[in-house]
Amino acid sequence: MNTIGVYTSGGDAPGMNACIRAVVRSASYYNIEVKGIKEGYQGMIENKIVNMDSSSVANIIQRGGTILKTARSEEFKTQNGRKKAFDNLLHHKIDGLICIGGNGSYTGAKIFSTEYQMPVIGVPGTIDNDLFGTDYTIGYDTATNTALDAIDKIRDTADSHNRVFLVEVMGRDAGYIALNVGIAGGAEGILIPEDAQDFDKLTKYFKKEKRKKSFSIIVIAEGDEEGGAIKLGEKLKATFPYLSIKTTVLGHVQRGGSPTVKDRILASRLGANAVKNLVEGESQKAVGIINDKLSICSLDEAISKHKDFPKELINLAEVLGS
Ligand code: F6P
């Protein structure tokens, strides 16, 4: 292995820069050259590839976003697009890849690696925390802290006006953010895609006489089957017309900001371990941390398996919110 390419792909996540830094500095430790591929797979196709060295990643560990930028590429889903990408990698003499991203990015990496025998290691970077093979993904801790800060603020005004606030947090397919910030923020109701009964639980909660006057915080994952906070608000209003209901969609604010200590350490450990594995000849693997120990699984497993959703936390949320 002489030259590795690193890219970030899919939704950005706080800590991706810390990971890029760890990749570049670790490669330099092994005397391997690094090329930064800008804008993910789209940049690979468009030859947006730059040289990187230790100084290129100075002063980025604290920054949110990704200095390499990111994109979601439709063209990479075509054979023609992937051929263009491979030709560009050949031109830059790249003989191994590190892909920092989520499930969709891993899928692209697996297809590409199989098609062109290009060694690749995946690093879990997504605020959603929905990847198998790691307890936490890069960006999740920062995103949950950002969401929690917002919920604490909403609680002040909800209390002052005796209002019900429906707060929508990110999580296209998973409720990790919603469940955890809901519990940490003292939410009275939490709606997540992993719990099909959560609307019934919410209805029971509002039917209790004492709820007619007091304030409540309800957290809903964007991927919940109710279809997000706005639709949920309309449905609740129809059933409980006497409630004063307000809706807040936190959106992309959760994706930005300076990464927490946890995310910086996680990103540094994972980035360094990805390089180590690539150098040692591994391919089509995803690095992770389980029970605070470095771990590795196949990209296939990371793409197709789901980690056990914490049922205990669903029960805890119900008990504490009642
Ligand atoms: O996967 C991370 C995520 O933030 C999801 O929670 C969300 O549904 C999605 O990305 C939004 O993506 P985009 O920024 O491309 O609209």
Side-chain angles (χ1 to χ4, degrees):
M1 182 92 18
N2 293 311
T3 308
I4 63 175
V6 58
Y7 59 99
T8 47
S9 167
D12 63 344
M16 279 183 163
N17 281 328
C19 188
I20 295 166
R21 173 181 179 271
V23 167
V24 173
R25 297 249 162 120
S26 305
S28 157
Y29 176 85
Y30 292 110
N31 289 318
I32 290 172
E33 279 195 38
V34 184
K35 306 267 179 174
I37 302 164
K38 296 206 153 186
E39 296 170 31
Y41 294 115
Q42 199 52 37
M44 211 183 273
I45 291 169
E46 293 172 14
N47 200 20
K48 294 183 175 169
I49 300 177
V50 295
N51 293 331
M52 296 187 92
D53 60 22
S54 281
S55 65
S56 341
V57 290
N59 196 26
I60 66 165
I61 197 166
Q62 78 284 12
R63 284 168 59 188
T66 157
I67 59 160
L68 289 177
K69 299 187 182 287
T70 183
R72 301 190 195 272
S73 170
E74 284 305 310
E75 201 180 348
F76 196 76
K77 292 180 184 160
T78 67
Q79 278 191 342
N80 196 30
R82 293 195 293 275
K83 169 83 175 71
K84 282 190 212 162
F86 181 67
D87 289 345
N88 290 330
L89 297 188
L90 267 189
H91 175 76
H92 287 276
K93 299 189 167 56
I94 291 173
D95 43 20
L97 288 173
I98 292 191
C99 160
I100 308 167
N103 199 288
S105 312
Y106 278 12
T107 305
K110 160 77 194 179
I111 294 170
F112 186 70
S113 169
T114 306
E115 226 163 40
Y116 291 102
Q117 291 79 54
M118 173 64 70
V120 62
I121 301 287
V123 184
T126 165
I127 65 163
D128 291 355
N129 200 34
D130 58 350
L131 278 175
F132 179 86
T134 190
D135 288 341
Y136 298 105
T137 55
I138 296 167
Y140 169 71
D141 187 64
T142 309
T144 47
N145 279 295
T146 301
L148 183 62
D149 181 53
I151 287 170
D152 287 346
K153 287 175 173 140
I154 287 170
R155 182 170 276 284
D156 291 342
T157 179
D159 181 14
S160 306
H161 286 267
N162 270 339
R163 281 173 170 159
V164 174
F165 265 83
L166 308 180
V167 185
E168 181 180 312
V169 296
M170 276 188 163
R172 191 173 22 207
D173 306 309
Y176 289 95
I177 299 178
L179 184 58
N180 283 278
V181 301
I183 292 173
E188 281 71 23
I190 302 172
L191 285 88
I192 53 176
E194 293 83 356
D195 183 2
Q197 272 91 51
D198 43 20
F199 184 76
D200 297 341
K201 290 178 193 165
L202 196 60
T203 311
K204 274 189 207 132
Y205 167 80
F206 280 118
K207 278 187 178 152
K208 289 185 188 168
E209 190 66 17
K210 62 175 181 168
R211 303 299 176 200
K212 286 188 182 172
K213 284 212 170 71
S214 67
F215 77 96
S216 313
I217 302 284
I218 311 298
V219 177
I220 177 168
E222 65 168 318
D224 183 75
E225 64 281 0
E226 292 303 327
I230 292 168
K231 283 195 177 157
L232 175 67
E234 287 160 4
K235 195 166 164 182
L236 273 181
K237 192 79 206 160
T239 322
F240 305 101
Y242 50 86
L243 290 177
S244 170
I245 299 176
K246 295 282 171 183
T247 302
T248 303
V249 178
L250 293 185
H252 287 78
V253 69
Q254 296 159 95
R255 289 246 293 264
S258 180
T260 58
V261 173
K262 267 193 172 179
D263 271 328
R264 294 184 202 192
I265 301 292
L266 178 70
S268 302
R269 291 176 76 187
L270 292 178
N273 196 34
V275 173
K276 184 169 178 283
N277 276 284
L278 200 56
V279 169
E280 287 171 358
E282 291 285 5
S283 178
Q284 298 199 5
K285 297 277 164 64
V287 292
I289 293 183
I290 295 177
N291 293 331
D292 204 31
K293 296 220 160 36
L294 292 170
S295 67
I296 192 154
C297 70
S298 70
L299 272 182
D300 275 338
E301 279 183 295
I303 293 162
S304 62
K305 290 191 177 173
H306 293 281
K307 58 185 170 197
D308 289 340
F309 198 80
K311 294 262 160 44
E312 178 237 320
L313 289 189
I314 297 182
N315 296 339
L316 178 67
E318 196 179 339
V319 171
L320 300 186
S322 63

